[in-house]
C-alpha cells in the first residue's frame, strides 16, 4: 500500500491564527477561505495533470509518472470534505467519508471568556445530502450529527490514530492500493507518531502545511517515509 496523507486547504480558523494570531471566535466546523479554495483547486489539478499512461515505475518515489490513487477518503469536517471534493472531481474518483480521521477534539467552539471547550454535534446526513451529494456517507449517519459527544481528550487522540492505522492495514495493507486520505494537521501528528511507534506524550512535532501531501509506503513489513509535507506544486504566495 502507498498511503498519501493530504491536509485540507486553508480554513477560516487557519486564517485567523495565521493573520490575527488568535483563535477567538473560532468556528466549530470552518469553511475554506478564498486562498484555501485556490489551494485545493491547484492541488487537484496537480494530482490530475501529473499523470502518465506509461506503466508506473516500481520505485517512482517522486510520483513522476502520476499518483494513480485507487481510494480517496475524507473526514466529515467541512474543510476536508471541500478539499476532498476538488480532488474527487478532478480525478473522477469517489470520495468516501471516514469519520475517525477527524481533527483532534472533534468539532468544538471555545468560550472566549472562560476558555472552556464546548463540543458541537457536527453535520448530519441531511446537510451532506443537500450540500455534498456525491460524498459517500456511513450508513449509520442520520438526523443527528456525526459527533454528538464531549470534546475528545488528549489520550483518545492516540487511541483513535492506532485504530485508523490498524484499519488501513486491514483494508489495504497487503495490496498495491494507493490510498489518499484528506485529514488534519493535529491528527497527522498523532497518526505519524503511531506509525513510527513514538510513545504518547513524547516531545515531537510534524509540520504539515495546508494542502500538503505526505507519502508513506507499506510493503513486506517495511515502512518507508517517501516524503513529508510536499507543497512544491503551490505558488509561494499560496503556501500557508
Amino acid at each position: 500500500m502507498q498511503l498519501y496523507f493530504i491536509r485540507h486547504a486553508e480554513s477560516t480558523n487557519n486564517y485567523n491564527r495565521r493573520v490575527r494570531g488568535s483563535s477567538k471566535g473560532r468556528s466549530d466546523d470552518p469553511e475554506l477561505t478564498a486562498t484555501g479554495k485556490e489551494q485545493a483547486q491547484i492541488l487537484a489539478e496537480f494530482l490530475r495533470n501529473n499523470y502518465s499512461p506509461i506503466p508506473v515505475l516500481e520505485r517512482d518515489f517522486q510520483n513522476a509518472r502520476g499518483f494513480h490513487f485507487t481510494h480517496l477518503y475524507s473526514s466529515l469536517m467541512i474543510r476536508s470534505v471541500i478539499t476532498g471534493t476538488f480532488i474527487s472531481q478532478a480525478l473522477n474518483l469517489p470520495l468516501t467519508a471516514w469519520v475517525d480521521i477527524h481533527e483532534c477534539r472533534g468539532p468544538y467552539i471555545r468560550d472566549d471568556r472562560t476558555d472552556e471547550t464546548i463540543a458541537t454535534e457536527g453535520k448530519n446526513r441531511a446537510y451532506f445530502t443537500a450540500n455534498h451529494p456525491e460524498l459517500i456517507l456511513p450508513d449509520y449517519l442520520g438526523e443527528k450529527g456525526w459527533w454528538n459527544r464531549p470534546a475528545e481528550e488528549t489520550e483518545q487522540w492516540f487511541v483513535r490514530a492506532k485504530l485508523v492505522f490498524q484499519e488501513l492495514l486491514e483494508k489495504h495493507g497487503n495490496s498495491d492500493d494507493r490510498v489518499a486520505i484528506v485529514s488534519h494537521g493535529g491528527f497527522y501528528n498523532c497518526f505519524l507518531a503511531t506509525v513510527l511507534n513514538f510513545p504518547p506524550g513524547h516531545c515531537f512535532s510534524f509540520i504539515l502545511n495546508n494542502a500538503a501531501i505526505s507519502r508513506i509506503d507499506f510493503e513486506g513489513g517495511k515502512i518507508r517515509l517517501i516524503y513529508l509535507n510536499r507543497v512544491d506544486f503551490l505558488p509561494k504566495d499560496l503556501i500557508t
Side-chain angles (χ1 to χ4, degrees):
M1 170 181 66
Q2 291 179 9
L3 175 66
Y4 297 84
F5 193 111
I6 301 172
R7 187 186 177 194
H8 62 81
E10 184 186 67
S11 72
T12 56
N13 286 350
N14 296 151
Y15 174 86
N16 287 338
R17 285 195 298 271
R18 176 171 66 87
V19 175
R20 302 174 185 170
S22 173
S23 295
K24 287 187 176 181
R26 76 181 307 279
S27 169
D28 64 325
D29 200 0
E31 299 273 349
L32 297 186
T33 62
T35 293
K37 291 177 181 177
E38 192 171 357
Q39 290 171 338
Q41 183 173 357
I42 292 172
L43 165 65
E45 290 174 353
F46 170 68
L47 294 172
R48 178 185 61 203
N49 295 336
N50 192 34
Y51 173 82
S52 171
I54 300 172
V56 177
L57 291 170
E58 181 181 355
R59 293 182 178 273
D60 182 10
F61 291 145
Q62 290 300 314
N63 295 100
R65 293 189 178 175
F67 290 85
H68 304 271
F69 294 157
T70 60
H71 297 77
L72 177 62
Y73 298 102
S74 170
S75 85
L76 275 175
M77 289 179 150
I78 298 305
R79 53 202 186 272
S80 283
V81 173
I82 296 174
T83 305
T85 298
F86 274 98
I87 299 170
S88 173
Q89 293 174 347
L91 303 183
N92 194 27
L93 186 65
L95 179 64
T96 300
W98 189 345
V99 173
D100 285 342
I101 61 174
H102 65 77
E103 183 59 296
C104 301
R105 293 190 179 91
Y108 71 95
I109 58 174
R110 191 181 297 280
D111 188 312
D112 291 338
R113 293 181 299 104
T114 65
D115 207 36
E116 178 187 3
T117 297
I118 304 169
T120 60
E121 67 175 14
K123 302 296 191 291
N124 63 8
R125 178 172 290 274
Y127 175 88
F128 288 112
T129 300
N131 295 279
H132 301 281
E134 297 178 355
L135 178 65
I136 301 172
L137 297 169
D139 292 338
Y140 62 79
L141 184 63
E143 294 183 5
K144 293 185 177 181
W146 60 271
W147 184 246
N148 280 299
R149 69 198 82 169
E152 190 178 45
E153 299 292 339
T154 303
E155 60 270 13
Q156 296 173 310
W157 305 350
F158 294 92
V159 172
R160 177 165 55 87
K162 185 175 181 179
L163 291 174
V164 168
F165 184 33
Q166 290 173 340
E167 189 169 347
L168 269 170
L169 294 178
E170 290 168 4
K171 286 182 176 180
H172 306 288
N174 295 316
S175 73
D176 294 325
D177 291 346
R178 294 178 167 218
V179 181
I181 63 174
V182 185
S183 185
H184 306 264
F187 182 67
Y188 174 76
N189 271 258
C190 298
F191 180 81
L192 193 53
T194 299
V195 170
L196 298 176
N197 202 29
F198 283 16
H202 190 79
C203 184
F204 60 85
S205 179
F206 304 113
I207 304 303
L208 192 65
N209 289 95
N210 292 118
I213 310 169
S214 295
R215 174 180 164 184
I216 310 170
D217 288 7
F218 302 85
E219 181 182 0
K222 294 181 179 179
I223 299 173
R224 291 192 179 100
L225 300 184
I226 307 301
Y227 50 76
L228 303 178
N229 197 33
R230 180 176 179 180
V231 289
D232 58 305
F233 53 89
L234 288 176
K236 289 182 173 60
D237 62 339
L238 286 179
I239 296 175
T240 61

